[in-house]
Every structure is written in structure tokens, then in C-alpha cells.
């Protein structure tokens, strides 16, 4: 009987000829990822249980993303300690301020994630790295076990294959497709599963769009999501020659998928996620006219070049509504550099947007959080109460063009009304 | 670690969020890990009555997809700190992982349990065998317990303690 991509990667990583869904394995990751919030915490816990050295530190990358703008004394001192500790532990890569960025995006910027890899992280949204044909699994507190032992206990997940076909109309971005697909699959089917994507829509997608698609699956409880490696993946890998070989892993013809779904997105319109969950989508028309106080383009799922280009496309030559604040945060420093080269940052500045770089920002309730009773429309990851500041703030999620259009009008607006003009 | 509990059932619906449901996101943002604080605010956003009145040994009886959202420890840690057990029709993958790491006593997959337990029923639960005795209705329910492999972490009091037992400098000697 054949195997799926996830089963093949987990079999290799656990030194077995084959593994089956439901089996518990100890797997050795190829890449591990930490950040400024969790690195100090895990090191403290290691100390508390009497373990000094990080196992396999050369595979470990650490970045600053939750607190790059913190002026809190404790954070500053923790970071000073962290720099020394990272050097002493011989951690493979450290992305300090000025090279920093969101942990779920940095591995793509630097070609650290490759097809066929097993990536293990602590932070929730790393399944986004399935964009490169890798299996990326987030453990939360269990990441401590990886730092101590160099391996993780994992239950082999069943795989659902989701084929996406069709080309949607103007104003629709990968964000809309991702959240709508998540809604169609649903949490009851997706929980604990791996979603493996196929279909012409996905084949046309570049790394940014694939990253969004995999990232959106996190909210329906997947263990991971993966886009099989193809020519686009190879082009991405070739930009980082010398960073290791490309291993194209594909599901066998007789692999066992728990379910197979086919979804046609050709009639999809721009979507808006109503609180409290991202897959709670409706067409933008259903919430059009809703007044907003704040708009935010950024985060691991909505601060990539695809998103910045779309937002700038709407904002070019326009001003943000006087009663609205717009915050734009490119997800990483590398994305920021490219946005500068393309003139996107100038568009944001001239439109009246506040700009920061490489931070989770309001998606972690910091930098420019929401006050009581305020309403935001954002490209952020989640919209449960309190996610971006006050518990009583209301968060709508949408693609970057919709967020930008809403920032201009002061109310939730359809981005298609802005296309083809100016 | 005790794997049996006897107490009052507190019922919750489907899809209770982890952040913003089991635990206020502000606690996550602030990085609060103090069990006393987490225990006090456990599930307060969903049921102020529970937060005020739940006693150690009581049992949270939840619907499907308990603990939706991000991989933040504070939710499961707060349930453990409160000293209550958990029976759910299903928990999310993220919550499951966190709960095992936290050493939370639970029966995470007990389909249709909500229809067989009423708010306020007295329960006697053996989490290791999956036997749930509803003392109020007299019904005994047999649910699927957690795999033996995972009890290693629960018995140790969580994954961190398990690591300490097996990997600390002392343990390696």
C-alpha cells in the first residue's frame, strides 16, 4: 500500500520503512524554529529540570518577532541574555533586530525550509511552511521535548487531499481562497489531519500564496498542510543554491487519503471573516458599510509581498480616511527590503499609514492595539475577543486589498470598486 | 497522580475557544504561568459561575472541538490548576497536545457525552479506564481512555516533569 507525503516524511524522520495513521512515533526534525517569546521560556524550563545543552542546535533558528519594539526593561534584559545564550549554545541561525521577522516567514526568506523536510516549532502557525513541500508541525509546550531530546513524539496523521480548481475574479487573493477553503473543509473534518493540496489553482500559486493557503488551515485544527513540490518550489529552492538538496516527496498513486475534496473557486468573491473565527467567512457585500476605527495589513498570513502589493494597489494616490488609522507591517525585514525596492512603502507613507517591520504587532495585542469598543479590519490571523487589544473590540479579517479599501472609505468596502482606477 | 475524580459536572457547549474562552488572551500576552492566577480565571469568559464556584474534583463536560485556536499553554494549565477534570466530546488537536504537555487529566474523545450528563450531575470518573459513573442518573458510561503511552506524561505531572525524570543531569547519572 502506498504512502502520503506526510507518512513518507514521518517514516524517514523516525527511521522506519513506513508508518500508518494513528501510529505514535519519535521523529527527528530537520529544522526547528523559535522566537523571542518562547526561546527564553524554554531555556528557563530546561534550567529548571537540570538540562543545560540544546539538542541539535545547528538545526535551530531563532528570530525576534513578538517584541521587536518593546521598551520594557525586562524584555530588553532578556534579549541581551538571549543573544549570549544563543551564541553559547551554538544555535544555527539567529535573526537579530534589523534582520528579524516573523518566525513563520523567515524560513522562506532564507531558503531554510525545503521540500521533504520535517519542521518542528512551538508557535501555532508554522504549518504555513508546508508551502515549500515540507511537513511543518507546531507543538506548543511540547517543543521543550525537542530542545531536550532532539526529537518529538508525534501521532501519524491521516491525510485529506483537497483539489482546488478555477481562477477567481478580480479582488480575490489567496487569503480569500484559504479562508473559504477552510470553511468548506470544516474543523470537524480537518482536526488532527494533514491537508494535502492539488489542482490548477494551487499549481499557479507562488510561495506567498501557498504560504497563505497552508496558514489558513491552522484555524480548522489541522496538524499541518502541504503543497507538493513542483516547478515553482524548485524555482524557490534554486534561489538558495548551496543550502542543501531538493527532495521532491509525493504521495503514491495508491496512497490512502481519508477523504478527497474538490473545490471550485472560479465564482469566489472577496471574503470577510466575522468574529470570532477566521473561517467564519461571508462575501464582503454582507458586511459592507460597517464602520471601522483601525485597519491593519501585516502578520504571518497577511504581511507578505502579495499582501503589500495588493494594499499598495488600492492606496496608490489615495489618502486614508481621517477617522481611521492604518498600520502596515511587512512580515520580515527581507519582505520590507523588497517592498522598498518596489516603491510600496512610499505608497503607504503618502497614504498616511503607520509603518513598522517584522513584528506580529496587534495580532499579539501590541504596538497599536485596539481600545474598548473599537472595530478593526485586518489581514491578521485570528479574531477572537481580546486578540488585538481590548476584549470588547471587534475584529473583522479580510484580504489586504479589502483592508486598504476599507481604510480609505472608513467603512468595510469592496476592493473591486477600487480596481482599474488611478 | 490520581486518575480518579468525584464531583459536580459543569457543562459547556461546542467550540469553546482556548484564548478568549478558557483563558483571557491578556494572560497569554503577559506570559502569566502562575497556577493560582490561571486557576482563578479558568473559563471565566464562558462561565463566570464556574470561575466563581467550581471545586477541585469537579468535572468540565464539554462538547466538540474544545480548546479551539492557538497553541497557548495557559488554557489547559488553568484547568489543571483549578484541580478539575475534563471530559469532552472532542478536543482540538492543538488543545490535546497542550493538555498532554500540561499533564491534564482528561477523557478527550467521548462522543455524545453531553446528552448523558446534565448540568450539576454528580460524577465519579476513572480517567485511566474511561469509566464514567453518573451518580445522579445511575448510568455508567464507558468512554475511550487516553493511550497508555500518553499516561507516561500525565503520571509524571506533565511533559516537563517527564523530561526531568528521564533527561536531567541527575537522571542520566
Amino acid at each position: 500500500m502506498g504512502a502520503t507525503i506526510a507518512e513518507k516524511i514521518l517514516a524517514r524522520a523516525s527511521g522506519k520503512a513506513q508508518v500508518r495513521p494513528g501510529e505514535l512515533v519519535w521523529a527527528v526534525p530537520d529544522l526547528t524554529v523559535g522566537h523571542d517569546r518562547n526561546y527564553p521560556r524554554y531555556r528557563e524550563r530546561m534550567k529548571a529540570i537540570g538540562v543545560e545543552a540544546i539538542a541539535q542546535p545547528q538545526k535551530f533558528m531563532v528570530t525576534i518577532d513578538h517584541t521587536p519594539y518593546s521598551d520594557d526593561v525586562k524584555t530588553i534584559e532578556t534579549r541581551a541574555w538571549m543573544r549570549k545564550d544563543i551564541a553559547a549554545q551554538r544555535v544555527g541561525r539567529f535573526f537579530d533586530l534589523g534582520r528579524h521577522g516573523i518566525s513563520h516567514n523567515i524560513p522562506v526568506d532564507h531558503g531554510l525550509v525545503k521540500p521533504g523536510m520535517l519542521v518542528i516549532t512551538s508557535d501555532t502557525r508554522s504549518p504555513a511552511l508546508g508551502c515549500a513541500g515540507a511537513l511543518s508541525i507546531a507543538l506548543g509546550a511540547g517543543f521543550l521535548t525537542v530542545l531536550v531530546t532532539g526529537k518529538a513524539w508525534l501521532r501519524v496523521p491521516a491525510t485529506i487531499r483537497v483539489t482546488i480548481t478555477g481562477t477567481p475574479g478580480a479582488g480575490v487573493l489567496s487569503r480569500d481562497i484559504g479562508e473559504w477553503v477552510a470553511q468548506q473543509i470544516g474543523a470537524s473534518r480537518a482536526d488532527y489531519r494533514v491537508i494535502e493540496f492539488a489542482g490548477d489553482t494551487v499549481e499557479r500559486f507562488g510561495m506567498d500564496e501557498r504560504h497563505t493557503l497552508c496558514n489558513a488551515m491552522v484555524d480548522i485544527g489541522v496538524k499541518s498542510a502541504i503543497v507538493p513540490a513542483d516547478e515553482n518550489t524548485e524555482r524557490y529552492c534554486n534561489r538558495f543554491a548551496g543550502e542543501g538538496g531538493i527532495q521532491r516527496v509525493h504521495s503514491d498513486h495508491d496512497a490512502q487519503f481519508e477523504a478527497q475534496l474538490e473545490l471550485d473557486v472560479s465564482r469566489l468573491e472577496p471574503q470577510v471573516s466575522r468574529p470570532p473565527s477566521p473561517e467564519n467567512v461571508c462575501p464582503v457585500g454582507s458586511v459592507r458599510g460597517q464602520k471601522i476605527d483601525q485597519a491593519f495589513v501585516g502578520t504571518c498570513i497577511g504581511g507578505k509581498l502579495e499582501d503589500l502589493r495588493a494594499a499598495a494597489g488600492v492606496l496608490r494616490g489615495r489618502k486614508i480616511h481621517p477617522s481611521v488609522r492604518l498600520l502596515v507591517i511587512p512580515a520580515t525585514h527581507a519582505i520590507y527590503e523588497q517592498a522598498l525596492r518596489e516603491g510600496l512603502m512610499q505608497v503607504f507613507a503618502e497614504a498616511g499609514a503607520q509603518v513598522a517591520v517584522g513584528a506580529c504587532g496587534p495580532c499579539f495585542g501590541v504596538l497599536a492595539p485596539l481600545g474598548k469598543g473599537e472595530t478593526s479590519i485586518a489581514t491578521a490571523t485570528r479574531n477572537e475577543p481580546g486578540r488585538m487589544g481590548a476584549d470588547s473590540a471587534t475584529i473583522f479579517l479580510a484580504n489586504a486589498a479589502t483592508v486598504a479599501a476599507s481604510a480609505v472609505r472608513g467603512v468595510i468596502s469592496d476592493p473591486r470598486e477600487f480596481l482599474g482606477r488611478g | 497522580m490520581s486518575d480518579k475524580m468525584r464531583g459536580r459536572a459543569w457543562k459547556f457547549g461546542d467550540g469553546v475557544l482556548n484564548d478568549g474562552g478558557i483563558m483571557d488572551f491578556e494572560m497569554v500576552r503577559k506570559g502569566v504561568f502562575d497556577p493560582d492566577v490561571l486557576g482563578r480565571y479558568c473559563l471565566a469568559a464562558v462561565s463566570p459561575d464556574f470561575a466563581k464556584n467550581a471545586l477541585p474534583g469537579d468535572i468540565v463536560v464539554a462538547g466538540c472541538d474544545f480548546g479551539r485556536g492557538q497553541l497557548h499553554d495557559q488554557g489547559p494549565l488553568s484547568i489543571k490548576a483549578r484541580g478539575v477534570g475534563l471530559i469532552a466530546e472532542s478536543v482540538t488537536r492543538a488543545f490535546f497536545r497542550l493538555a498532554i504537555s500540561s499533564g491534564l487529566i482528561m477523557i478527550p474523545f467521548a462522543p455524545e457525552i453531553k446528552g448523558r450528563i446534565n448540568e450539576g450531575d454528580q460524577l465519579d470518573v476513572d480517567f485511566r479506564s474511561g469509566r464514567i459513573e453518573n451518580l445522579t442518573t445511575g448510568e455508567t458510561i464507558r468512554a475511550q481512555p487516553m493511550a497508555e503511552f500518553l499516561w507516561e506524561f500525565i503520571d509524571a505531572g506533565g511533559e516537563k516533569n517527564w523530561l526531568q525524570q528521564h533527561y536531567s543531569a541527575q537522571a542520566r547519572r
Side-chain angles (χ1 to χ4, degrees), chain A residues 94-95 110 141 154 179 199 228 241 246 255 276 300 309 340 391:
Chain A
F94 176 47
F95 297 91
H110 297 270
L154 298 166
E179 302 299 3
I246 300 162
C300 55
R309 285 170 186 150
L340 277 171
D391 282 346

Side-chain angles (χ1 to χ4, degrees), chain A residues 297-311:
Chain A
V297 175
T299 80
C300 55
I301 196 169
K304 300 184 297 303
L305 278 166
E306 179 203 9
D307 312 296
L308 301 177
R309 285 170 186 150

Side-chain angles (χ1 to χ4, degrees), chain A residues 276-335:
Chain A
S277 62
E279 73 278 15
N280 192 17
V281 289
C282 61
V284 62
S286 340
V287 282
R288 199 164 160 266
Q290 160 76 46
K291 194 181 166 305
I292 58 161
D293 303 293
Q294 191 243 35
F296 169 37
V297 175
T299 80
C300 55
I301 196 169
K304 300 184 297 303
L305 278 166
E306 179 203 9
D307 312 296
L308 301 177
R309 285 170 186 150
V314 169
L315 293 172
R316 194 167 283 115
R318 294 193 171 94
K319 296 283 183 197
I320 289 149
H321 191 274
S323 68
V324 173
R325 300 105 58 191
L326 171 64
L327 174 62
V328 179
I329 311 182
T332 66
H333 212 275
I335 293 171

